[in-house]
Amino acid sequence: MAVLALTAVRLLIEALAETGASRSAQQRLRSGGCPWRRRLRVRRTRELAGDRWPYGTFLQRLAPPVRMTLLQLGVRRQVPAGQIVIHEGIRETHLVLLEEGLTKVTVTLPDGRSALLSLRVGGDLVGEMSALNNEPRSATVTTCGPAKYSVIQPDRFKRFLKEYPDAALELAAMVSDRLRWSNRRRIDFTSYPVKLRVARVIADLCRSHGRQGPDGVVIDVRLTQSDLATICGASETSIQKVLRELRSDGLVDTDYRRITVRDLPGLRQLGDLKSSDD
């Protein structure tokens, strides 16, 4: 009996050891402790840290080492189209760093309708105001298609800004650009006809998301005519007519979701934009 008891104890100890090892392995998997998962994460981050971000986005503004540090701060998520990433009026303080996909920023009007403020693309940072001033969200951010992004907690982001002062300066420049865009659109909607509004919006997109190509300035934001119509506060039919006129005038070329500005000075003149508007 003593031998049987000792054997049973030995088997129980071995079973417990195996269970503990299994739990430990599972814990390593959950925490990303496996070397191959860590290597995959590092490789993915390095790929994202490359110079592939649209001009004017927050990630594009940063030096590659700083960009890679920022990309490692958050928890990555992947969502389908129509997913609300940030809710207007909610008191929360995390930031969202977009990595892939197109999102729209909207606010709710007093009559219940939704108004489009802007579009955000991969490389853009959203939610920074609530993260820095602890106020409720000022707008809703919704994905227009499948998207990938990182959720960054405000304390980590503030430490990042302290460690990299150049990133803080770029953040201030980005917020300034967005304020300028918002102020200009308020004036445009009340003062200018559709063609001038379209010219001004496209010229602004050249400044914020344009890159020089062989045939002119290529806008690195993939926009549908519906997107452009919403930004300009016009019907899609009106946008189609204006784009045909701009093509006929030799000011722009349009391809699938891509706009190339062939004559930026001419477009700016059409939009009644002066050098002081830059």
Side-chain angles (χ1 to χ4, degrees):
M1 292 292 292
V3 173
L4 289 175
L6 288 172
T7 302
V9 169
R10 180 174 59 80
L11 291 174
L12 178 60
I13 292 173
E14 290 175 354
L16 289 173
E18 290 176 359
T19 301
S22 176
R23 288 176 178 169
S24 177
Q26 292 174 8
Q27 180 62 30
R28 285 197 302 272
L29 281 172
R30 285 194 295 268
S31 63
C34 287
W36 65 269
R37 293 191 67 175
R38 285 200 302 270
R39 286 196 296 270
L40 282 177
R41 271 206 311 274
V42 171
R43 185 173 69 183
R44 170 65 174 162
T45 302
R46 285 175 177 166
E47 289 172 354
L48 289 171
D51 296 323
R52 68 173 184 83
W53 303 102
Y55 180 82
T57 59
F58 188 58
L59 285 179
Q60 184 274 331
R61 295 168 183 261
L62 303 178
V66 182
R67 188 185 303 146
M68 187 169 178
T69 300
L70 179 60
L71 284 163
Q72 292 175 322
L73 291 185
V75 177
R76 289 198 172 92
R77 294 179 181 173
Q78 185 170 347
V79 296
Q83 181 77 31
I84 296 179
V85 177
I86 288 177
H87 294 257
E88 180 183 1
I90 299 297
R91 187 177 290 278
E92 56 188 10
T93 56
H94 65 266
L95 300 94
V96 172
L97 180 63
L98 300 173
E99 295 179 4
E100 294 179 18
L102 178 71
T103 63
K104 58 183 179 180
V105 182
T106 58
V107 294
T108 303
L109 300 176
D111 61 5
R113 291 182 297 122
S114 180
L116 180 71
L117 294 181
S118 60
L119 298 171
R120 297 287 178 255
V121 298
D124 274 326
L125 186 69
V126 294
E128 72 283 347
M129 289 194 298
S130 293
L132 296 176
N133 63 17
N134 201 32
E135 293 293 325
R137 300 295 194 190
S138 60
T140 294
V141 179
T142 309
T143 59
C144 299
K148 295 180 182 178
Y149 62 90
S150 292
V151 175
I152 303 175
Q153 296 305 317
D155 55 339
R156 303 194 73 184
F157 186 67
K158 290 174 183 177
R159 286 198 299 270
F160 166 78
L161 294 178
K162 289 179 180 178
E163 186 174 353
Y164 298 98
D166 287 347
L169 292 175
E170 293 298 344
L171 178 65
M174 181 194 74
V175 173
S176 176
D177 284 346
R178 291 178 179 179
L179 179 60
R180 183 193 302 268
W181 168 274
S182 177
N183 289 340
R184 179 174 293 169
R185 287 187 68 239
R186 287 195 190 98
I187 298 171
D188 290 351
F189 283 166
T190 58
S191 306
Y192 296 105
V194 174
K195 189 170 184 177
L196 265 70
R197 294 206 301 267
V198 173
R200 292 170 74 91
V201 165
I202 294 177
D204 269 343
L205 288 172
C206 281
R207 181 182 56 81
S208 61
H209 292 92
R211 60 177 174 82
Q212 187 63 49
D215 299 320
V217 180
V218 180
I219 295 174
D220 262 347
V221 178
R222 302 297 178 123
L223 294 177
T224 64
Q225 291 184 355
S226 177
D227 294 331
L228 191 58
T230 308
I231 294 176
C232 296
S235 69
E236 193 168 345
T237 303
S238 298
I239 295 298
Q240 292 171 354
K241 178 177 181 293
V242 168
L243 289 177
R244 281 198 302 269
E245 293 174 356
L246 296 180
R247 287 194 298 267
S248 298
D249 295 339
L251 297 177
V252 305
D253 281 338
T254 58
D255 198 351
Y256 178 69
R257 295 192 176 188
R258 181 186 290 267
I259 298 175
T260 301
V261 177
R262 299 181 62 87
D263 182 2
L264 183 56
L267 187 71
R268 291 178 57 83
Q269 183 177 0
L270 174 62
D272 194 25
L273 292 170
K274 303 176 179 62
S275 59
S276 59
D277 294 323
D278 288 332

